[in-house]
Amino acid sequence: MNYRIKKVLLSSFVLLMVFSSVFAKDKRPNILVILCDDLGYSDVGFNGSKDIKTPNLDKLAHAGVIMSSGYVAHPFCGPSRTSIMTGKYSHVMGAQFNIPSNSEHTGYGIPLDNKFISKELQEAGYYTGAFGKWHLGADAPYHPNKRGFDEFFGFLGGGHRYFPDQYRPVYEFQKENGNKNIHDYLKPLEHNGKEVKETEYITDAFTREAITFVEKSVKREQPFFMYLAYNAPHVPLEAKKEDFKVFPEIKDDKRRTYAAMVYAVDRGVGALVETLKKEHQFENTLIVFLSDNGGKLGQGANNYPLKEGKGSAYEGGFRVPMFFHWPAKIKGNQVFEHPVSSIDFYPTFAALAKVKPSKRRELAGKEVLKPIMEGRNPHLNDMLYVLRHRTGLSDVGARYNNWKILRTSNNPWKLFYIKKDISETKDRSSEFPEILKSMVEKAEKWSKTNEEPKWFHSKEEGQLWHNMNMPRFDETFSID
Ligand code: CA
């Protein structure tokens, strides 16, 4: 081939590449995270609930992969959400406590040098939206719109009441009477920083906005990343009459209201799935469903067969209902028994968007889709931590392959063969002291990466932290 022909062929090839990249349809998947707040491990049909019906969630779960060892990185709200967004443990950035209520003008928020996955995806060309609860900073620099979300509809605090016609009059009364510290749960919802006059039950409002967002993303011809963070079934327990009526067989009123709140989420998910199908997005959307922490005992939740609940380092605190659904890539009818953690979402989603996180080495998790599809343990020989400080003490647990170490309330360390003993009934520490010792040493090493808390959920907790000379990790990680 002579030089001229070669040159012509080469330039046509280059032109072809340029054209195909300009006109190629963006085939990267949509990513939809559906988060519930304080939903118990066994409060969904797909995890064995006998009384709460979740037909839409169950359909997705069964057509996807159910994670029977799905973990979050903290047993309560704010720090758990921090890990979803940053791919790191909240402790390494001083965010291990909830941001206190009414935190406007406090300057508190997840430190800005931790890039959120939303920002990563937005920069990679995704259309991004957050709906529902935020709880990651109420001041301007920490607002969802500043952290990579094109759209935000919801509330910035840690919880909210559900019926606008009930909370609005209370809010307006307090406002008229000059109350400068109106509780977060009563404040109007907002859309991109602007107050909105919501009229619907707020679970339904979040579903409505999520549907609109999907429709917009299709018009924009961009793949979307949606963070649909329902605050249900977090307290206050408030349900619609029509949903309450679905559960006549539940005699306990709290449980029945809670069930109805979960049912409202399930209705919402059903409507959203219909929209995804109508817009031809269903096949190529990865749906990840989970709860931000365990169910709150005494408030209608059920974490059976796990021990304890929200706030605990026992499995009930941070092992949560979770599934992945993606018809185009993930085979259905699977239960995945290896651990998958919310710290894995960041690298997993970044890989789907074909971006390399700029600070990959700082991330705590793993890309998990390939291991899930191949049935491999994504966390072979990894430690997965749970660490909760409270009232001058530290409760800590860690999972390593099939084992879990646990120390609560300064009681002696325990060791569980968690693979077969998910109810944490039999302490094996005296049988396997070497395993215990090596895991505790690893956990102690990790604790040295923790930073001093940047805020406390209450003044009392902060005082206690200082008075008790917390965190006193040398004491926590001593075995004797
Ligand atoms: Ca929560």
Side-chain angles (χ1 to χ4, degrees):
M1 207 184 296
N2 74 32
Y3 174 73
R4 255 184 97 89
I5 298 177
K6 257 191 194 166
K7 205 174 159 188
V8 169
L9 278 176
L10 188 69
S11 44
S12 341
F13 178 71
V14 169
L15 270 176
L16 188 73
M17 290 301 286
V18 169
F19 274 108
S20 58
S21 66
V22 169
F23 295 108
K25 206 167 172 308
D26 195 336
K27 292 210 175 68
R28 294 176 298 175
N30 304 304
I31 301 167
L32 164 56
V33 175
I34 304 174
L35 188 67
C36 275
D37 198 352
D38 295 6
L39 177 67
Y41 187 75
S42 97
D43 288 331
V44 283
F46 68 82
N47 260 11
S49 179
K50 299 254 187 315
D51 53 354
I52 300 183
K53 298 181 189 88
T54 52
N56 294 298
L57 287 168
D58 297 353
K59 213 186 282 172
L60 291 173
H62 293 306
V65 187
I66 296 168
M67 310 301 165
S68 60
S69 301
Y71 290 102
V72 288
H74 201 82
F76 57 72
C77 308
S80 169
R81 288 153 198 262
T82 299
S83 293
I84 293 174
M85 286 298 161
T86 64
K88 304 175 193 176
Y89 287 99
S90 57
H91 314 74
V92 304
M93 61 191 85
Q96 54 274 68
F97 284 91
N98 273 334
I99 292 176
S101 327
N102 299 350
S103 66
E104 294 97 333
H105 317 300
T106 58
Y108 296 146
I110 305 311
L112 298 172
D113 52 347
N114 300 281
K115 194 176 192 176
F116 279 19
I117 183 61
S118 39
K119 189 80 183 163
E120 201 83 70
L121 296 174
Q122 187 183 49
E123 286 174 2
Y126 273 63
Y127 181 44
T128 53
F131 304 95
K133 164 165 155 176
W134 184 239
H135 212 191
L136 300 169
D139 277 346
Y142 308 103
H143 190 275
N145 292 140
K146 291 277 174 61
R147 305 225 69 169
F149 286 106
D150 298 313
E151 295 284 341
F152 172 64
F153 182 100
F155 59 89
L156 298 172
H160 211 279
R161 289 184 59 183
Y162 291 83
F163 288 103
D165 58 350
Q166 290 175 14
Y167 67 73
R168 189 183 305 107
V170 185
Y171 170 78
E172 278 168 3
F173 177 81
Q174 293 193 11
K175 199 176 163 200
E176 277 160 28
N177 286 278
N179 183 354
K180 294 267 184 289
N181 205 23
I182 302 175
H183 197 243
D184 285 339
Y185 284 36
L186 300 169
K187 288 172 188 162
L189 302 186
E190 65 153 273
H191 179 214
N192 294 340
K194 287 207 181 75
E195 223 178 275
V196 293
K197 198 163 183 190
E198 187 50 57
T199 54
E200 286 194 84
Y201 182 66
I202 69 170
T203 300
D204 292 338
F206 300 147
T207 300
R208 180 194 69 219
E209 296 300 318
I211 286 173
T212 305
F213 175 77
V214 169
E215 292 165 349
K216 275 195 200 166
S217 85
V218 172
K219 287 202 189 86
R220 295 166 70 117
E221 299 188 329
Q222 274 175 286
F224 69 75
F225 170 59
M226 190 199 309
Y227 174 65
L228 176 52
Y230 288 112
N231 57 313
H234 191 290
V235 291
L237 297 178
E238 296 177 349
K240 283 172 104 168
K241 276 200 188 94
E242 67 200 66
D243 295 327
F244 191 77
K245 278 187 191 152
V246 176
F247 300 96
E249 67 284 2
I250 301 180
K251 299 299 170 217
D252 177 74
D253 253 19
K254 263 190 186 167
R255 177 71 177 167
R256 187 171 172 185
T257 308
Y258 176 99
M261 293 167 80
V262 176
Y263 191 74
V265 168
D266 189 77
R267 278 196 290 103
V269 171
L272 185 56
V273 163
E274 281 313 304
T275 305
L276 289 170
K277 286 181 177 166
K278 194 182 79 203
E279 300 288 351
H280 310 290
Q281 300 301 311
F282 187 64
E283 284 293 311
N284 200 28
T285 298
L286 167 67
I287 303 178
V288 173
F289 174 85
L290 77 160
S291 174
D292 71 332
N293 51 251
K296 191 169 181 178
L297 301 177
Q299 295 294 343
N302 179 3
N303 299 309
Y304 181 85
L306 309 180
K307 197 175 269 186
E308 300 197 346
K310 177 178 184 177
S312 175
Y314 278 99
E315 297 287 282
F318 72 117
R319 190 193 281 218
V320 295
M322 185 191 288
F323 68 75
F324 282 33
H325 176 276
W326 185 10
K329 294 277 182 188
I330 298 179
K331 243 184 21 225
N333 275 316
Q334 295 188 67
V335 176
F336 191 73
E337 290 178 349
H338 302 297
V340 169
S341 167
S342 60
I343 52 170
D344 300 325
F345 296 172
Y346 197 122
T348 302
F349 298 166
L352 292 177
K354 300 190 166 38
V355 284
K356 279 205 174 78
S358 43
K359 294 183 177 172
R360 177 68 190 87
R361 267 176 302 173
E362 290 180 9
L363 300 181
K366 294 270 177 74
E367 193 286 321
V368 289
L369 266 180
K370 270 200 200 104
I372 289 169
M373 289 193 245
E374 293 165 7
R376 285 187 285 122
N377 183 354
H379 290 291
L380 188 67
N381 301 336
D382 288 344
M383 292 279 281
L384 291 169
Y385 301 105
V386 61
L387 169 59
R388 191 254 164 114
H389 304 295
R390 61 183 169 89
T391 57
L393 289 172
S394 298
D395 288 350
V396 53
R399 178 160 175 169
Y400 180 78
N401 298 334
N402 298 326
W403 294 97
K404 179 181 174 184
I405 50 167
L406 178 77
R407 180 169 211 180
T408 58
S409 309
N410 264 4
N411 289 319
W413 280 98
K414 291 186 164 99
L415 176 72
F416 299 106
Y417 190 66
I418 200 69
K419 184 183 175 165
K420 293 273 191 266
D421 182 19
I422 73 167
S423 304
E424 296 165 281
T425 56
K426 192 166 185 232
D427 175 21
R428 316 290 295 267
S429 56
S430 56
E431 292 167 77
F432 301 96
E434 289 309 313
I435 293 177
L436 176 76
K437 184 165 173 279
S438 123
M439 287 176 72
V440 172
E441 279 170 7
K442 285 192 179 83
E444 179 172 27
K445 200 171 159 205
W446 171 76
S447 77
K448 296 192 194 309
T449 66
N450 288 201
E451 270 188 22
E452 228 6 57
K454 290 194 165 65
W455 56 78
F456 297 89
H457 66 265
S458 68
K459 271 195 187 132
E460 296 72 33
E461 188 70 47
Q463 268 159 10
L464 217 44
W465 181 274
H466 296 293
N467 297 345
M468 304 282 283
N469 196 26
M470 287 290 279
R472 305 197 315 278
F473 278 143
D474 50 336
E475 186 186 297
T476 304
F477 292 101
S478 85
I479 292 187
D480 312 315

